[in-house]
């Protein structure tokens, strides 16, 4: 990406940067009526997803991310996860959140950090601005672990966040190294990420910390399944994302996970988390793909019929109901749903079952 030559201390005047400005997901901008429009199938957006804004995007260099430092093009063209994230004054967004909160409630607000030397101070500032006007709204901080230590986590909590999300993204150390770490000329470190995840888990409590996990970065099914069990044992949430190549990134030509793989992973994760599916119920082939799932037909069918395994994974609202449904987070408008931002209906379930081709691997037991 082209370098911004203006020094940091002058950038606030030249660019609309955080903490005074913030990007907001298009779905959230529509929900707050900052933008006109409606989401497909009258879907609502349960979480106001915000993202820090700096002229150079992000100083990390993740191979799949539209904000990556070495991505070609000019900073103004950054799109971040495909659908444009419009920019607004932070105080205006806070005011709109407060208005909606007073009228019919806001499920959750999420402030996402990027990798920048200002990101931590600005996260605190932005969290306080929202907390000041919306005293009860649940706030998640989606952090860049590389900018943090234990003391900073404590301050984020003190500023008003009740959940920490960590963009772990990669399901294994090797994939992490190649896509986000030194192998990608990026500053992130697997061990440091886990230190921050576990420190946050101690500080924020069970299921108040989550890891974002992207399916399709080169990991095996076995690595994903191992991670699901690990997270469950530590009472840390795992939230799935489906890799979708971003034009202009190092992984722009990489294929997406085949849809049947994605659906099976969604289902197996749900069965592990909600039905205590034991590890020996899942067998893998030599390359590490799920080859056999030994599970009772009644339980699996019932789980599929709820539609819940195929919905977006995200932070809950104050009543414990999933709020962060991220419409268009893992697919472009007009593409097939990857994660459904609402409960799939009967027609959706027919499509899902066809996509999943579960009979190829499912050994039903009674
Ligand atoms: S699941 Fe949503 S609200 Fe929670 S940390 Fe991730 S992006 Fe933020």
């Amino acid at each position: 990406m082209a370098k911004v030559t203006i020094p940091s201390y002058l950038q606030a005047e030249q660019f609309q940067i955080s903490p005074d400005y913030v990007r907001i997901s298009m779905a959230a901008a529509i929900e707050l009526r900052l933008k006109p429009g409606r989401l497909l199938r009258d879907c609502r957006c349960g979480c106001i997803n915000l993202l820090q804004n700096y002229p150079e995007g992000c100083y990390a260099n993740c191979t799949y991310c539209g904000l990556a430092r070495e991505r070609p093009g000019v900073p103004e063209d950054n799109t971040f996860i495909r659908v444009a994230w419009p920019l607004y004054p932070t105080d205006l967004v806070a005011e709109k959140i407060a208005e909606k909160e007073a009228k019919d409630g806001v499920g959750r607000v999420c402030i996402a950090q990027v990798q920048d030397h200002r990101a931590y101070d600005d996260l605190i500032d932005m969290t306080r601005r929202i907390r000041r006007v919306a005293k009860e709204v649940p706030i998640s901080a989606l952090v860049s672990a590389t900018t943090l230590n234990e003391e900073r986590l404590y301050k984020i909590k003190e500023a008003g966040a009740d959940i920490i999300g960590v963009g772990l993204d990669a399901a294994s150390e090797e994939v992490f190294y190649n896509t986000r770490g030194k192998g990608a000329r990026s500053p992130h470190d697997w061990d440091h990420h886990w230190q921050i995840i576990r420190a946050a888990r101690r500080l924020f409590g069970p299921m108040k910390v989550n890891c974002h996990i992207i399916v399709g970065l080169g990991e095996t099914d076995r690595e994903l399944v191992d991670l699901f069990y690990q997270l469950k044992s530590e009472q840390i949430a795992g939230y799935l994302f489906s890799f979708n190549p971003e034009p202009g990134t190092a992984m722009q030509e990489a294929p997406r996970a085949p849809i049947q793989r994605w659906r099976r992973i969604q289902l197996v994760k749900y069965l592990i988390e909600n039905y205590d599916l034991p590890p020996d119920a899942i067998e893998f082939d030599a390359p590490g793909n799920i080859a056999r799932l030994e599970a009772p037909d009644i339980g699996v069918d019932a789980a599929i019929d709820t539609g819940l395994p195929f919905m977006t994974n995200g932070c809950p609202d104050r009543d414990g109901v999933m709020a962060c449904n991220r419409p268009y987070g893992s697919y472009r408008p007009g593409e097939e749903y990857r994660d459904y931002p609402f409960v799939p209906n009967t027609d959706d379930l027919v499509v899902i079952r066809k996509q999943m081709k579960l009979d190829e691997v499912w050994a039903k037991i009674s």
Side-chain angles (χ1 to χ4, degrees), residues 60 144 182 332:
S144 171
K182 291 206 171 56
R332 295 175 182 84

Side-chain angles (χ1 to χ4, degrees), residues 1 51 57-72 78-82 113-115 169 179-180 186 188 214 217 243-252:
M1 195 189 301
L51 173 69
C58 180
Y59 274 88
N61 204 33
C62 304
T63 52
Y64 49 86
C65 180
L67 291 179
R69 186 187 69 228
E70 292 180 11
R71 185 186 180 206
N78 289 336
T79 54
F80 190 66
I81 54 175
R82 294 164 300 284
Q113 277 189 310
V114 299
Q115 184 68 30
D169 294 358
T179 58
R180 322 196 57 208
S186 193
H188 301 308
I214 302 179
L217 295 183
F243 166 71
N244 203 359
E246 180 82 46
T249 61
M251 286 186 72
Q252 63 175 347

Side-chain angles (χ1 to χ4, degrees), residues 24 27-34 48 93 96-97 100 106:
I24 178 168
I30 292 171
E31 189 69 36
L32 291 185
R33 301 194 180 285
L34 286 163
I48 307 303
V93 172
K96 292 282 178 191
I97 289 169
K100 183 163 162 44
V106 170

Side-chain angles (χ1 to χ4, degrees), residues 5 29 35-36 43 58 84 92 94 106 156 201 224 228 250 273 339 365:
T5 49
K35 288 274 182 201
C43 170
C58 180
L92 173 66
V106 170
I156 293 168
R201 164 66 184 82
L224 285 163
F228 300 156
E273 291 175 347
D339 42 9
I365 53 169

